[in-house]
Amino acid sequence: MPKLKDQNKVASIHKAAIVLVTKNGFSGLKMAEVAKKSGVATGTLYVYYKSKEELINDVYVVTKKEIAGAIINPEYIKETFYETFKAMWYGYFGYCLRYPEKMLFVEQFIYSGYISEGNIETTDSYFESLNQFLLEGQKQENIHVMDVEILKAHLQGSVHEIVKMIVKDHITLKKDVMHTCFTLAWNSIKK
Amino acid sequence: MPKLKDQNKVASIHKAAIVLVTKNGFSGLKMAEVAKKSGVATGTLYVYYKSKEELINDVYVVTKKEIAGAIINPEYIKETFYETFKAMWYGYFGYCLRYPEKMLFVEQFIYSGYISEGNIETTDSYFESLNQFLLEGQKQENIHVMDVEILKAHLQGSVHEIVKMIVKDHITLKKDVMHTCFTLAWNSIKK
Amino acid sequence: MPKLKDQNKVASIHKAAIVLVTKNGFSGLKMAEVAKKSGVATGTLYVYYKSKEELINDVYVVTKKEIAGAIINPEYIKETFYETFKAMWYGYFGYCLRYPEKMLFVEQFIYSGYISEGNIETTDSYFESLNQFLLEGQKQENIHVMDVEILKAHLQGSVHEIVKMIVKDHITLKKDVMHTCFTLAWNSIKK
Amino acid sequence: MPKLKDQNKVASIHKAAIVLVTKNGFSGLKMAEVAKKSGVATGTLYVYYKSKEELINDVYVVTKKEIAGAIINPEYIKETFYETFKAMWYGYFGYCLRYPEKMLFVEQFIYSGYISEGNIETTDSYFESLNQFLLEGQKQENIHVMDVEILKAHLQGSVHEIVKMIVKDHITLKKDVMHTCFTLAWNSIKK
DNA sequence: AATGAATGAGATTTCATTCAT
DNA sequence: CATGAATGAAATCTCATTCAT
């Protein structure tokens, strides 16, 4: 956790860290580069964070929260399950497309051993209401009954991989292709 | 006659590298550790590979080939598109479940900047016949018509994310759950 | 305010580098030894210089400048060409005798491939006024007309080789021998 | 000293060592490069020489002998001291111009600490008759009386430095310029 | 004798972190 | 708080030499 000093500085440190991790991979993240890109001195990073690990954890938690917000949004609640799901799916897909580096950042660190146990639990809780929504959909027989974690993994995996491919190949996504992708997702789970 | 280059050595170096990446993450791959674990001197690593980067690239290419073999297998060719697809899907899912470290290794490095351009093209070619199979399925109206790359990304993303979740949480997968996962995949693409 | 870069440090690094090159030869220059002798950490050397090569280049340029100053000195300008030439020759000969390690250092590296192109040009410019002096001597018919570069090479070669011999054999140079050497030089070029 | 096995091999090892030292400096001489350039295996170098140091010493002694032969040659003995000296000077200058890498090789190692005491004495003996010739010239009042070692150093230094300049700048030497250089040398010593 | 793969001590270089200002 | 020079442990890589064939 950062000291609550200059929030602009924190934001630029975060941004730098995310971009650098995406570009050079986690092993390529150098504190000196984070400092340079974010316009602060290396020593300053240690004013805000005790270590590289802590910095990364902070970025992770904040980003994960932002991602939760891209899915769970009061505006997305519609009349039917289908419509709400659609809004959420588009919300998430759009977010990943706009911020692929954040998507990649979060993805990379699940297995890195860098994220502390406590933070995993914390971030999982952000998605509690999404779980409720999906369970309700199963109860109402809108979608197939199955482990919700598997369901989420399936949906998220699909979105991530498609976005990665699009970003990697510099493809400009057309509306109808995006709709095709949504159809893949919906067909897979609908009852 | 001089000593002959020992191909077992290459294999043990690979094995060590993959295991170490899995255990300590990519950033944790240290040449000294690779040397120790594979039973060679550090200098020997540099007899086989010009640099750490080249070693990793070689592991990547070899692993990617192995993965292709887990999907594209003459035994998997069945009477119907559905059955063949099912065999392939199970082949890949099973591989990922057995060797999650290889799955993760390959996944991690696509964005790491560690893989050289040439190797990306090389490894892409391994999957050519899979592309043909899917295109044929579209022509025969077994599955929806859409960009094959998107189709593959969708299917692969789903598998990877589910396997990651299972491995992460140390879940022992039951047959019926595996079948549920396959159903997700098939329902999403079938016509 | 951060710590300020310490210029004394640069000087002590230079000194250490020159002494070590003299003692152990160029191949014997080890960064760890330079660090130890100059009282800094090895990492600090890389704060000041990007690489060993750059450190050596810097020492080269600074030493070459010092050598130029041993020849081109306002005090050496006398009434006649002969007297000025004599003062310069003695200045250079004396410098080489006092700092044979610097003379050798500079001599060794011209052919070593260690000196970057730009630095050769830079250091050549230090001797421009010497060229002017010699050309003027030719115009005034004090010395033979010939390519100035050859002239300088001849004079410098003579000095270096004699000094090397003296230093190698630990001879204590008598005044009259030094005068004999000067006579060799003067007789060779005078008209 | 090499074992008297394959003299062609010895010759090509020598040639490779000389060229590589000239190009990359002494510190840049790598046994693996010598092996490659001379067309033998690294192990073979150690069949001929006990160590890198011994290899270098052998090259030194052989080259030094060759150089002595370029100066001291029965054909060069003429009627007068002047004519003999001229023939010798041209012989040496020509040799240096044709084999600058050998000249540089020998020059570099005098201060390197790599040449063993014994070999220095050995090679010095090759020049004994040159010493006699110069002493005789002094007795006959053809040239100035002074320490013969200084005299040789002066003459050799001049030749080397001029040749280095010419080779460095890729100048094609004209006959008259070569004569000018000789005149410098002769004027400096003649009585 | 000849080979070149293998070695490992030791060199160069990196980089998270500390510290003096 | 902020700075960035300084640190040094630890990483990568080199290369003279050895050794199995």
Side-chain angles (χ1 to χ4, degrees):
Chain A
M1 290 291 153
K3 292 165 194 164
L4 296 173
K5 290 160 195 170
D6 187 336
Q7 280 303 318
N8 285 342
K9 225 160 251 181
V10 171
S12 65
I13 290 169
H14 275 213
K15 198 174 165 186
I18 290 168
V19 170
L20 286 167
V21 164
T22 308
K23 207 189 287 183
N24 306 321
F26 173 53
S27 70
L29 185 70
K30 287 159 204 167
M31 292 301 263
E33 280 186 353
V34 174
K36 198 176 177 187
K37 201 174 188 78
S38 60
V40 304
T42 52
T44 309
L45 294 178
Y46 288 84
V47 171
Y48 286 81
Y49 303 102
K50 211 171 69 219
S51 66
K52 181 176 163 177
E53 194 175 330
E54 211 176 71
L55 160 56
I56 285 169
N57 267 272
D58 188 49
V59 175
Y60 177 77
V61 171
V62 168
T63 307
K64 197 80 180 176
K65 193 168 212 165
E66 193 181 293
I67 288 175
I71 303 172
I72 301 158
N73 183 329
E75 289 184 30
Y76 294 165
I77 299 173
K78 312 283 177 181
E79 292 286 301
T80 64
F81 179 89
Y82 170 79
E83 281 184 292
T84 305
F85 176 80
K86 190 173 176 179
M88 284 176 160
W89 187 93
Y90 269 89
Y92 188 54
F93 196 92
Y95 179 88
C96 291
L97 217 48
R98 220 168 329 141
Y99 306 113
E101 70 281 4
K102 294 187 180 181
M103 174 189 87
L104 285 165
F105 178 91
V106 163
E107 201 182 66
Q108 271 201 38
F109 290 91
I110 292 173
Y111 277 84
S112 70
Y114 259 78
I115 306 306
S116 65
E117 272 304 311
N119 281 337
I120 290 176
E121 281 177 43
T122 304
T123 54
D124 277 356
S125 72
Y126 299 156
F127 294 86
E128 195 42 50
S129 67
L130 176 60
N131 288 3
Q132 290 309 317
F133 169 71
L134 292 170
L135 283 168
E136 188 61 24
Q138 293 181 329
K139 215 190 281 177
Q140 304 297 328
E141 303 210 331
N142 295 301
I143 58 174
H144 282 292
V145 173
M146 66 176 65
D147 185 287
V148 171
E149 292 303 323
I150 290 181
L151 195 61
K152 284 193 298 181
H154 162 75
L155 292 166
Q156 183 190 293
S158 164
V159 169
H160 279 210
E161 208 63 30
I162 291 170
V163 169
K164 279 195 256 181
M165 204 209 68
I166 288 165
V167 171
K168 190 179 65 187
D169 297 352
H170 305 293
I171 294 170
T172 341
L173 201 65
K174 282 177 196 150
K175 270 255 167 81
D176 62 328
V177 176
M178 200 157 158
H179 185 69
T180 307
C181 295
F182 169 70
T183 307
L184 283 173
W186 178 247
N187 284 346
S188 67
I189 64 167
K190 76 163 182 217
K191 197 145 200 176
Chain B
M1 273 283 178
K3 249 183 281 188
L4 286 168
K5 251 189 192 175
D6 186 350
Q7 276 311 113
N8 289 342
K9 221 154 259 177
V10 173
S12 67
I13 290 169
H14 269 220
K15 201 174 162 185
I18 290 171
V19 171
L20 286 166
V21 164
T22 309
K23 207 188 282 182
N24 308 320
F26 173 47
S27 68
L29 186 69
K30 283 153 207 165
M31 293 304 261
E33 280 185 352
V34 173
K36 198 174 178 186
K37 199 171 193 79
S38 58
V40 302
T42 52
T44 309
L45 295 179
Y46 291 87
V47 170
Y48 288 85
Y49 302 103
K50 223 175 52 232
S51 65
K52 179 177 164 176
E53 192 175 332
E54 217 174 64
L55 162 56
I56 286 170
N57 265 271
D58 191 46
V59 175
Y60 174 77
V61 171
V62 169
T63 306
K64 196 82 181 177
K65 194 167 210 164
E66 195 181 292
I67 288 176
I71 303 173
I72 300 159
N73 183 330
E75 289 184 30
Y76 294 166
I77 299 173
K78 314 282 177 178
E79 292 284 300
T80 64
F81 179 89
Y82 170 79
E83 282 183 289
T84 305
F85 176 79
K86 190 172 175 180
M88 284 176 161
W89 187 93
Y90 270 89
Y92 188 53
F93 196 91
Y95 179 90
C96 291
L97 216 48
R98 219 167 331 139
Y99 307 112
E101 71 279 6
K102 293 187 181 181
M103 175 189 87
L104 285 165
F105 180 92
V106 162
E107 200 181 66
Q108 266 194 48
F109 291 88
I110 292 172
Y111 278 86
S112 71
Y114 257 80
I115 306 304
S116 63
E117 269 305 309
N119 282 340
I120 291 176
E121 282 176 41
T122 303
T123 54
D124 277 355
S125 72
Y126 298 156
F127 295 86
E128 193 43 48
S129 67
L130 176 60
N131 288 2
Q132 291 308 317
F133 170 70
L134 293 170
L135 283 168
E136 188 61 25
Q138 294 182 330
K139 217 192 279 179
Q140 304 298 330
E141 303 212 329
N142 296 301
I143 57 173
H144 282 290
V145 173
M146 68 175 63
D147 185 290
V148 170
E149 292 302 323
I150 290 180
L151 194 60
K152 285 193 298 181
H154 162 74
L155 292 166
Q156 183 191 295
S158 165
V159 168
H160 279 210
E161 208 63 29
I162 291 170
V163 168
K164 279 195 257 181
M165 204 209 68
I166 288 165
V167 172
K168 188 180 66 187
D169 297 351
H170 305 292
I171 295 170
T172 341
L173 201 64
K174 285 177 194 147
K175 270 253 166 86
D176 63 326
V177 176
M178 201 156 157
H179 186 70
T180 308
C181 294
F182 169 70
T183 308
L184 282 174
W186 177 248
N187 284 346
S188 67
I189 64 166
K190 75 162 184 220
K191 199 148 199 175
Chain C
M1 273 284 177
K3 250 184 278 186
L4 285 168
K5 252 189 193 174
D6 187 348
Q7 276 312 111
N8 290 341
K9 220 155 261 180
V10 174
S12 67
I13 291 169
H14 268 220
K15 201 174 163 184
I18 290 171
V19 170
L20 285 167
V21 165
T22 309
K23 208 189 282 184
N24 308 322
F26 173 47
S27 67
L29 186 68
K30 283 154 207 164
M31 293 303 263
E33 281 185 352
V34 173
K36 197 174 179 188
K37 198 170 192 79
S38 58
V40 303
T42 53
T44 309
L45 296 178
Y46 291 85
V47 170
Y48 288 86
Y49 302 103
K50 221 172 56 230
S51 65
K52 181 178 164 177
E53 192 175 330
E54 216 175 64
L55 161 56
I56 286 170
N57 265 272
D58 190 47
V59 174
Y60 174 77
V61 170
V62 168
T63 306
K64 196 82 180 177
K65 193 167 210 164
E66 194 181 293
I67 289 176
I71 304 172
I72 300 157
N73 183 329
E75 287 183 32
Y76 294 165
I77 299 172
K78 313 283 176 178
E79 292 286 300
T80 64
F81 179 90
Y82 170 80
E83 280 183 291
T84 304
F85 176 80
K86 189 173 176 178
M88 284 175 161
W89 188 93
Y90 270 89
Y92 187 53
F93 196 92
Y95 179 89
C96 291
L97 216 49
R98 220 168 329 142
Y99 307 112
E101 72 279 7
K102 294 186 182 183
M103 175 189 86
L104 285 166
F105 179 92
V106 163
E107 200 181 66
Q108 265 193 47
F109 291 87
I110 291 173
Y111 278 84
S112 70
Y114 257 81
I115 305 306
S116 63
E117 269 305 309
N119 281 341
I120 291 176
E121 281 176 42
T122 304
T123 54
D124 277 356
S125 73
Y126 298 156
F127 295 86
E128 193 42 49
S129 68
L130 175 61
N131 289 3
Q132 291 309 317
F133 169 71
L134 292 170
L135 283 168
E136 188 62 24
Q138 294 182 330
K139 215 192 281 179
Q140 304 298 329
E141 305 211 328
N142 295 301
I143 58 173
H144 282 291
V145 174
M146 67 176 63
D147 185 289
V148 170
E149 292 302 323
I150 291 180
L151 195 60
K152 285 193 298 181
H154 161 75
L155 292 166
Q156 182 191 296
S158 163
V159 168
H160 279 209
E161 208 63 31
I162 291 170
V163 168
K164 279 194 256 181
M165 204 210 68
I166 287 166
V167 171
K168 188 180 65 185
D169 297 352
H170 306 291
I171 294 170
T172 341
L173 201 66
K174 282 177 196 150
K175 270 254 168 86
D176 63 327
V177 176
M178 198 157 159
H179 186 70
T180 307
C181 294
F182 168 69
T183 307
L184 282 173
W186 177 248
N187 283 345
S188 67
I189 64 168
K190 75 162 184 219
K191 198 147 202 177
Chain D
M1 289 291 155
K3 293 164 194 167
L4 295 172
K5 291 163 197 170
D6 187 337
Q7 280 304 317
N8 286 342
K9 225 161 249 181
V10 172
S12 65
I13 290 169
H14 275 214
K15 198 175 164 186
I18 290 168
V19 170
L20 286 167
V21 164
T22 309
K23 207 190 285 184
N24 306 321
F26 174 54
S27 68
L29 185 70
K30 288 159 204 170
M31 294 300 264
E33 280 186 352
V34 173
K36 197 175 178 187
K37 202 174 188 78
S38 59
V40 303
T42 52
T44 310
L45 295 177
Y46 289 85
V47 170
Y48 287 81
Y49 303 103
K50 212 172 68 220
S51 66
K52 181 175 164 178
E53 193 175 332
E54 212 177 67
L55 160 56
I56 286 169
N57 268 271
D58 187 49
V59 176
Y60 177 77
V61 170
V62 169
T63 307
K64 198 79 181 177
K65 194 169 212 163
E66 193 181 295
I67 288 176
I71 303 172
I72 300 157
N73 182 330
E75 287 184 31
Y76 294 166
I77 299 172
K78 312 282 176 177
E79 293 285 301
T80 64
F81 179 90
Y82 171 80
E83 279 183 292
T84 304
F85 176 80
K86 189 173 176 179
M88 285 175 160
W89 188 93
Y90 270 88
Y92 188 53
F93 195 92
Y95 178 88
C96 291
L97 216 49
R98 221 168 328 142
Y99 308 112
E101 69 280 5
K102 294 187 180 182
M103 173 189 88
L104 285 165
F105 178 91
V106 163
E107 200 181 67
Q108 273 201 36
F109 289 90
I110 292 173
Y111 276 85
S112 69
Y114 259 78
I115 306 304
S116 65
E117 272 303 312
N119 281 337
I120 291 176
E121 280 177 42
T122 304
T123 54
D124 277 356
S125 73
Y126 299 155
F127 295 86
E128 193 43 49
S129 68
L130 176 60
N131 288 3
Q132 291 308 318
F133 169 70
L134 292 170
L135 283 168
E136 189 61 25
Q138 293 182 330
K139 215 191 279 177
Q140 303 298 329
E141 303 211 331
N142 294 301
I143 57 171
H144 283 290
V145 174
M146 66 177 64
D147 184 289
V148 170
E149 292 304 323
I150 291 180
L151 195 60
K152 285 193 296 181
H154 162 75
L155 292 166
Q156 182 190 296
S158 164
V159 169
H160 279 209
E161 207 64 29
I162 291 170
V163 169
K164 279 194 256 180
M165 204 209 69
I166 286 165
V167 171
K168 190 180 66 188
D169 296 353
H170 306 291
I171 294 169
T172 342
L173 202 65
K174 284 178 195 148
K175 271 256 167 80
D176 62 328
V177 175
M178 200 156 157
H179 186 69
T180 306
C181 294
F182 169 71
T183 308
L184 282 174
W186 177 249
N187 283 345
S188 68
I189 64 167
K190 74 164 184 217
K191 197 145 203 176

